[in-house]
């Protein structure tokens, strides 16, 4: 990161941008009384079964129901990811031992936490109103690495950037889709606006920590962190394919359908802009 | 209908072999510590949850789990499928 654009400068800019976009977190979205049966709740092109032969066998009612269940699954992954993010951001407030812990950073992180808290409310409200529940959390880290503070923060903000880039990629597609229903469209739109700032902070933290880690010659730790980030990226990719969704539609062999979706070249191609965007970013910063 | 215990164990053994093709068949048992020995990763755990849900017709919330509940086929069956 250049001297001119230090993480403190980024924090100040993001604080200004956040404060300009203030909103009532509990009344931001206009939730419909009932969902529109002829509008998508999730972009049709991103329905997990879209490229499998079975999709052609579904009637219009099942396709619509699939779009609702996949919206609930996507929002549930959002909620659990953001809850974990908030829990990990709080201990990063007002410390003085590591990167990004001076007061201006903490002031931005407080806005970051506030906005993530608002998102989980907005997303959960959609799930509860139209499905009655949030899908359970499936994230379970089996690896418990011990890293230097710089690499620990690269891993944390790196995973956050992966999640937010994924959410942003899908949100952007949904916002541009004129066939989306009103409430779902609003949820995607408001999330997309805020995540742009969060990604900027993730990048500032990754780059500053990377610079410090390189000066301390932590290359083996950096390689290990990158492997864990790749594992997390694949977890996020696979989280879009949920057999519980297929079972709720009355389809048999939910696990087999999931395996087919994950192995589908069309699905990988569809998500390639997201994965290539991440790879390009890491290459650009020398990670 | 949930799979019976014997069938479920067989499905789990085959699934673990598919994730760790180089597993030593001579020492691989239902007591083998599948995470500790590096046979599965975090991504595989997601699939394992989904597989257990299908076998047991149950719903799993990872936030309610302790790591040792997934340590071996024996432990998985005791926790979720018996």
């Amino acid at each position: 990161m250049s001297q001119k654009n230090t993480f403190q400068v980024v924090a100040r800019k993001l604080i200004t941008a956040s404060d300009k976009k203030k909103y009532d977190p509990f009344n931001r979205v206009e939730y419909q009384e009932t969902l529109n049966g002829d509008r998508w709740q999730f972009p049709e092109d991103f329905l997990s079964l879209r490229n499998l032969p079975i999709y052609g066998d579904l009637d219009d009612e099942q396709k619509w129901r699939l779009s609702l269940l996949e919206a609930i699954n996507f929002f549930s992954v959002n909620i659990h990811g953001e809850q974990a993010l908030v829990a990990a951001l709080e201990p990063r407030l007002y410390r003085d031992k590591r990167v990004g812990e001076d007061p201006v950073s903490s002031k931005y992180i407080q806005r970051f936490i506030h906005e993530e808290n608002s998102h989980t409310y907005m997303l959960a409200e959609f799930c509860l109103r139209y499905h009655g529940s949030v899908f359970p959390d499936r994230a379970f880290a089996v690896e418990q690495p011990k890293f230097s503070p710089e690499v620990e923060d690269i891993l944390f903000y790196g995973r956050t950037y992966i999640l937010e880039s994924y959410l942003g990629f899908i949100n952007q597609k949904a916002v541009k889709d004129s066939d989306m229903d009103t409430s779902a469209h609003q949820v995607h739109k408001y999330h997309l606006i805020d995540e742009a700032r969060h990604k900027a902070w993730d990048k500032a933290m990754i780059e500053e920590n990377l610079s410090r880690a390189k000066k301390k010659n932590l290359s083996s730790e950096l390689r290990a962190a990158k492997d864990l980030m790749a594992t997390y990226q694949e977890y996020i990719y696979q989280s879009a394919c949920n057999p519980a969704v297929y079972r709720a539609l009355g389809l048999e062999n939910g696990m087999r359908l999931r395996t087919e979706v994950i192995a589908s070249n069309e699905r990988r191609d569809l998500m390639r802009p997201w994965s290539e965007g991440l790879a390009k970013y890491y290459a650009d910063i020398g990670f | 209908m949930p799979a019976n215990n014997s069938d479920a164990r067989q499905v789990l053994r085959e699934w673990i072999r598919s994730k760790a093709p180089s597993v030593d068949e001579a020492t691989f048992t239902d007591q083998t510590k599948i995470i500790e020995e590096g046979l599965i990763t975090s991504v595989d755990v997601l699939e394992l949850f989904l597989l257990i849900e299908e076998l047991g017709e149950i719903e799993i919330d990872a936030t309610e789990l302790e790591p040792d509940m997934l340590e071996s086929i024996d432990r998985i069956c005791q926790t979720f499928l018996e």
Side-chain angles (χ1 to χ4, degrees), chain B residues 2 6 13 15 20 24 27 35 39-40 52 60-62 66 72-73 79:
Chain B
S6 161
R13 283 181 209 121
W15 179 80
D24 182 353
T27 56
I35 293 175
L39 302 183
I40 62 173
I52 296 168
I60 295 176
D61 188 333
E66 298 296 331
S72 65
I73 291 175
T79 306

Side-chain angles (χ1 to χ4, degrees), chain A residues 136-143 231 234-235 238-239 241-243 247 253-255 258, chain B residues 35 41-43 45-47 49-51 53-54 59-63 65-67 70:
Chain A
D137 190 5
R138 266 60 180 262
F140 191 83
V142 298
E143 300 90 357
T231 300
E234 184 60 22
Y235 165 78
Q238 293 192 13
S239 67
C241 317
N242 186 348
R247 281 196 294 275
N253 295 317
M255 284 299 286
R258 177 181 186 273
Chain B
I35 293 175
T41 66
S42 297
V43 174
V45 170
L46 168 63
E47 192 174 320
F49 287 157
L50 299 172
L51 182 63
E53 287 188 353
E54 188 157 277
E59 192 170 74
I60 295 176
D61 188 333
T63 57
L65 300 186
E66 298 296 331
L70 302 172

